[in-house]
Every structure is written in C-alpha cells, then in structure tokens.
Amino acid sequence: MSKRIIAKICEFVISVFAASLLFGGCAFVSSNGEAKRAVSSYDEPTVKGQIRSADITESSGLAASKCQKNVLWTHNDSGDGAFLYAIDDSGESLGTWKVPNVENIDWEDIATFKDGGGKCYLYIGEIGDNKTKRPDHAVYRVIEPDVGPATSTSSRKEPLTTTDAESLQFSYPDFIQDAETLMVHPLSGDIYVVTKRVSGPAGVYRLKADFGNSAIQKAERVGELSVPAIPNGFLTGGDISPDGRRMIICDYTQAYEYVMPAGEKYFEKIWKQDAEAIDLGKRKGGESVCYGLDGSSIFATSEGRESPVIQVKRRSAK
C-alpha cells in the first residue's frame, strides 16, 4: 500500500470522526469553534450528475466561470499533468486544456476572476505541500478558454491549449505550510490562500495579484479559521461569492459559510464572523467547493472517478 493511499485512509478516518462531532442538520459555528443549532440558509444537497470524463480522477479544485453560464472548471491533484477540465453542472465534459509552460507539482485549488474590462481568468493554486518541505509556492493565471460544442471532444490525449500562464511566486512570512484553498476576491482582485493544518486553526494569507514579477512575494497573514472538527484547521477548498460578501470553506465532510456583517465594507472582517455549517451530502473525499455564477448555489465534487456533482441551493439572500 503506497504512502499516498495510507495518508488518504488516515484523512478519511479523521473526516468521519470530525463529522460525528457535529449536530444533526445544520449548525452555526462561532469564531471560537463552538457550534449551536440553527435554521439553515440552504436547501438539502442534491446530486446534479456525475463527472463523465475518465481523465478526472481526483477533482481537487472547483470554480464556476464568471463569463460563461453553466461552466465549472476543475483539475486533478498531484500526479496529473498541467491539465484543466471544463464540465457542466451535470458532470458532462466540456473540454480539456493543457497549460503549456508550467507543471502540476501539487495543484490543489482553482479560482475564477473577471477584471474591470470584462476579461475572465483562471487562477491555479500550486500550493500543496504534504511534506512541508517547499519554501516557495506559486499561483498561475491563464485567460479562461471559450467553451463550446467543438471543445467537448478534447481530452488528455488530444488536449486544447491555454494561453501561457503568468506566474506569481510566494512564500509564507512565518513557516512552511501545506494549503489546499485558493480564493480570489471578485472586487479587489486580492488572492487568499488558506492553509491546511492538523495542529491548530488554519492560517489565512493574502497576496497581491502581482503576476510577472520575478521576485518572490511574501504573503501577508490576515487571519485564521477554526471549524468544529478534529483537526479544526484541516481545510481543503474554498471560494468567495460573486458579490464579495460571503465565503465558503470545506473540509472532507462538509462546508462552512462566513458572511460579512451588514454595512461592513472591509473584507478582512469576515474571518472573525460566525460560520454556518452547510451539508454537502455524501462525498468520498471532499476537496473542492465553489459558488455558482450568480452566487445562489454552492457546488461540490469529490475524489475518485465519476464523482458526483453536488448542488446546494440558497433559500434566500442575506
């Protein structure tokens, strides 16, 4: 049995134990990690379909296009090449693209961003480090490819090609860390990396979108997150809502949504808010979560072939 398989088994056992600590139904999670019963802001999770591409074996990141309706972007974890996959919300393949000038050492998450001129980008988080031995990490950015009937037949064997990736190199200001969560604020363009920890709360780090600069950027620590699970900082994916006022974070079992206070304009206040625990349904190993294009739904996928594409609809806006 490989070390990777053993690690995954251990992670699964941890996730099951974490889930057993939560209340049945939904819960609100205070900033100190305590949970209390509450009425959910979301409906029950539903399975929209299954990922059909045989090339997607470990959907490690997920992001909804901000320029194209019903387009979700994903990628595999380490061990795959530098490939990006587009699917719809029922899991049907919309195409495969290779990023030509980078490699996938340990891609862990993906995010989307639409700039002031209307151009859409894909941000790729080269942020994984299970052995915590890599002093520097990277975020790659490519122009989002157009998806259509002609792209759906592409595959790993015969991929399409993205634009060359712009690169942003960074290091942490305190110590070497593993991370699986990459988010981009839709208004400021700031990049957020949330670490994955077994010994305490996850750290939250901010990066400026200074792509093309050869200097290694020092990430700024701006907060921490602690969810009601053991470990409490073992976070595997996340996204910021299109209006920039909500954030969704997941671990292997479920998700946690943080909402900005009414009238608050400073995004960094979100790390100190109480979080609502969101049921994502059954996942083999949940590493990816995102908001839909309009922010009214949450989507999630799982590890393994033919992963379910799960949708959780929001009941009403806050």
Side-chain angles (χ1 to χ4, degrees):
M1 184 177 293
S2 70
K3 291 182 179 179
R4 182 174 180 79
I5 293 174
I6 293 172
K8 290 298 179 184
I9 292 173
C10 291
E11 290 173 354
F12 176 75
V13 171
I14 289 170
S15 69
V16 171
F17 181 63
S20 70
L21 297 180
L22 293 171
F23 294 110
C26 80
F28 270 86
V29 185
S30 68
S31 57
N32 64 6
E34 296 176 351
K36 55 185 178 181
R37 290 184 183 277
V39 177
S40 178
S41 302
Y42 287 84
D43 292 333
E44 294 296 315
T46 60
V47 176
K48 292 280 291 182
Q50 292 179 302
I51 293 178
R52 298 302 180 187
S53 172
D55 293 332
I56 304 174
T57 58
E58 188 176 357
S59 180
S60 184
L62 191 69
S65 170
K66 290 181 170 59
C67 280
Q68 303 175 87
K69 291 183 179 180
N70 196 20
V71 174
L72 300 173
W73 291 94
T74 189
H75 57 82
N76 287 321
D77 205 334
S78 58
D80 194 22
F83 295 100
L84 299 173
Y85 306 95
I87 60 174
D88 66 17
D89 63 12
S90 65
E92 293 296 332
S93 177
L94 300 177
T96 302
W97 283 261
K98 186 170 186 180
V99 185
N101 60 322
V102 297
E103 60 179 317
N104 179 351
I105 298 174
D106 197 355
W107 291 5
E108 288 292 355
D109 206 359
I110 187 170
T112 56
F113 178 70
K114 185 176 183 179
D115 69 13
K119 182 179 290 187
C120 275
Y121 294 90
L122 304 178
Y123 287 59
I124 306 159
E126 178 62 270
I127 55 177
D129 188 9
N130 290 330
K131 297 181 179 180
T132 58
K133 291 185 176 181
R134 299 170 60 190
D136 304 325
H137 297 274
V139 178
Y140 302 128
R141 182 174 73 176
V142 299
I143 296 174
E144 180 179 337
D146 292 329
V147 170
T151 67
S152 62
T153 58
S154 56
S155 65
R156 270 181 106 261
K157 291 183 177 180
E158 296 182 357
L160 300 166
T161 305
T162 69
T163 57
D164 282 354
E166 300 175 278
S167 179
L168 182 163
Q169 305 289 324
F170 75 93
S171 63
Y172 295 104
D174 33 29
F175 53 94
I176 296 174
Q177 301 190 66
D178 183 27
E180 294 191 4
T181 302
L182 175 77
M183 303 182 290
V184 180
H185 195 280
L187 304 180
S188 69
D190 286 344
I191 300 166
Y192 294 89
V193 175
V194 181
T195 60
K196 178 183 180 184
R197 299 196 63 197
V198 296
S199 58
V204 182
Y205 297 83
R206 182 173 61 193
L207 301 166
K208 293 298 181 182
D210 191 13
F211 289 93
N213 189 335
S214 60
I216 298 174
Q217 183 177 158
K218 187 73 71 175
E220 178 187 3
R221 185 181 174 96
V222 294
E224 63 179 33
L225 289 176
S226 177
V227 300
I230 297 177
N232 61 339
F234 209 64
L235 304 178
T236 61
D239 194 18
I240 299 171
S241 64
D243 63 3
R245 300 199 61 82
R246 290 178 286 134
M247 177 191 67
I248 194 76
I249 291 281
C250 75
D251 56 20
Y252 281 108
T253 58
Q254 64 175 12
Y256 310 88
E257 186 176 58
Y258 294 76
V259 180
M260 294 275 287
E264 178 61 58
K265 296 182 179 180
Y266 186 52
F267 182 71
E268 307 306 338
K269 294 287 187 179
I270 202 167
W271 316 117
K272 295 185 179 296
Q273 303 310 306
D274 292 351
E276 179 182 351
I278 309 297
D279 180 13
L280 295 180
K282 295 181 179 179
R283 297 195 296 168
K284 183 178 180 180
E287 292 193 2
S288 53
V289 68
C290 73
Y291 287 103
L293 176 60
D294 64 0
S296 64
S297 292
I298 293 168
F299 289 93
T301 55
S302 179
E303 295 181 353
R305 295 184 185 275
E306 299 185 344
S307 160
V309 179
I310 298 167
Q311 181 183 30
V312 189
K313 292 185 178 180
R314 188 170 178 82
R315 289 178 176 166
S316 61
K318 288 190 176 181

